[in-house]
Amino acid sequence: MTETPGFRWFRRITLTFLAVFTIMPLYVLVVTSVKPLENVRGLFTWLPDRITFQPYVDMWSTIPLARYLTNSLIVTVTATVLALAIAVLAAYPVARLRFRGKRLFSMTVLSTQMFPGILFLLPLFLMFVQGEQLLGIQLTGSYTGLIITYLTFALPFSIWMLAGYISAIPEGLEEAAMIDGTSRIGALFRVILPVARPGILAVGVFAFITAWGEVLFASVLTDTQTRTLSIGLKLYTSQTDTLWNQLLAASLTISLPVIIAFMLVQRHLVSGLSAGAVK
C-alpha cells in the first residue's frame, strides 16, 4: 500500500504531538526537581533560574526514604517471584492437560480482572484481621499481608498470559523430551521454561509494576515501619507547605528501577505479551 504525501504529513504531525504531549510532563518533573524551593513556589518557569541538586540530597533526610525504598523492594520482589512461580505451575496444566473444571477455572481466573480493586479492600482487611486472631500471624501492618494482597491481583493475569504463551509452544518439544526419559515436570523445567522466557519476563514486569506503584492497599495494610514508597511520598506534604522539588526528585528516583527493568526486557516484553494474548 502506497503512502500518500498527505497521510505522511498527518502521521508526522500526529506523532510529533503525541511525543510532545508525553515528554512535557517528564520535562516539568525533571526541571522542578532541580529548582530551589523558593523558585518552585512561584509561577512556573520553563527554564530554571538556578540549577541545584540539593533536593536529591535532602530528600533522603526529610523522610526515611531509604526505609520506604527497602520496604517496597522486599514486598515487590517477593510478590513478583511468588507470582511467577505459582503462575507457571498453574498455567502449564491449563495449557497442556485436560481435567474436569478446566474451563470453569479459566473463566474464573479471567473474570476476576473485571472487578475494581477497591471492591476487595474491606473483605481482605476483614479476612486478615480474622486470620491474625485464628493463626496468630500478623497480616496487617506487615510485609506478609501486602505480599498476599499483591498476589491476588497479579496471579489471575499472570496465569492467563502464561497459559496462552505455553499453548503456542509446540507439544512436540515436550514429547521428544519425555521419549528420552524425562518426566512431564522435567520437560516443564528443562524445555518449556527456557522457550517461554519472553512470556515469563513479560509477566514478571507486569507483576513488578503492579506492586511497585500500588497505593490503595498499601495505605491500609501498612504502618510506619512497613510503609512503602507510594505512601511515603505523601510525607513531603505537611499542613502548611509542600516540598515540591524534593517530592519530584524522589518521584523521579523511585521511577528509575521500573524504567531500567522495562528497557532491559522491552524486546522480550513485546513478544511475550503478543504471544500470550493469542489464546
Side-chain angles (χ1 to χ4, degrees):
M1 182 177 179
T2 305
E3 187 180 48
T4 62
F7 180 79
R8 186 183 301 113
W9 279 106
F10 174 78
R11 174 172 56 84
R12 291 174 179 175
I13 294 173
T14 303
L15 292 179
T16 301
F17 173 77
L18 292 177
V20 172
F21 187 78
T22 303
I23 295 174
M24 197 64 67
L26 298 177
Y27 174 79
V28 174
L29 174 67
V30 174
V31 168
T32 306
S33 68
V34 295
K35 286 183 178 180
L37 184 59
E38 57 271 15
N39 292 349
V40 177
R41 288 170 176 162
L43 184 65
F44 176 77
T45 56
W46 292 99
L47 296 176
D49 298 331
R50 181 167 63 91
I51 295 178
T52 176
F53 292 97
Q54 192 62 34
Y56 288 89
V57 178
D58 296 338
M59 68 181 186
W60 300 99
S61 56
T62 302
I63 67 172
L65 187 63
R67 186 175 68 199
Y68 300 153
L69 177 61
T70 303
N71 293 340
S72 291
L73 286 174
I74 292 174
V75 172
T76 302
V77 172
T78 304
T80 301
V81 172
L82 290 177
L84 287 177
I86 298 174
V88 167
L89 296 178
Y92 182 74
V94 172
R96 286 290 192 258
L97 304 180
R98 294 182 180 179
F99 55 90
R100 182 175 298 178
K102 173 181 175 180
R103 183 176 179 83
L104 177 62
F105 173 79
S106 301
M107 294 301 298
T108 302
V109 167
L110 188 58
S111 64
T112 56
Q113 302 297 298
M114 300 169 54
F115 302 99
I118 194 173
L119 188 66
F120 300 97
L121 180 59
L122 182 59
L124 279 174
F125 181 78
L126 295 178
M127 290 172 58
F128 287 164
V129 172
Q130 292 293 326
E132 291 178 352
Q133 298 175 355
L134 296 176
L135 304 176
I137 301 175
Q138 184 179 359
L139 296 176
T140 58
S142 67
Y143 297 139
T144 305
L146 205 55
I147 291 171
I148 294 175
T149 300
Y150 292 159
L151 281 176
T152 61
F153 293 102
L155 274 178
F157 179 83
S158 302
I159 294 173
W160 179 65
M161 286 294 298
L162 283 179
Y165 195 90
I166 293 175
S167 297
I169 299 175
E171 294 188 36
L173 297 176
E174 299 161 82
E175 295 174 354
M178 287 187 287
I179 290 175
D180 291 337
T182 303
S183 62
R184 182 172 287 275
I185 295 297
L188 169 63
F189 286 96
R190 297 178 184 178
V191 178
I192 298 300
L193 291 188
V195 178
R197 185 175 60 179
I200 295 175
L201 287 175
V203 170
V205 171
F206 163 79
F208 185 89
I209 294 176
T210 300
W212 187 258
E214 200 279 324
V215 176
L216 178 63
F217 290 88
S219 63
V220 176
L221 299 177
T222 59
D223 55 20
T224 56
Q225 297 300 318
T226 58
R227 187 175 288 153
T228 58
L229 284 171
S230 56
I231 305 302
L233 291 179
K234 296 190 299 183
L235 298 182
Y236 287 109
T237 300
S238 63
Q239 294 182 351
T240 58
D241 195 10
T242 300
L243 304 177
W244 288 109
N245 53 351
Q246 295 187 37
L247 174 60
L248 296 185
S251 301
L252 184 62
T253 301
I254 67 175
S255 300
L256 291 179
V258 178
I259 296 174
I260 293 173
F262 182 84
M263 293 179 65
L264 290 176
V265 301
Q266 181 181 9
R267 179 171 58 87
H268 298 292
L269 183 64
V270 174
S271 61
L273 287 174
S274 59
V278 172
K279 295 293 181 179

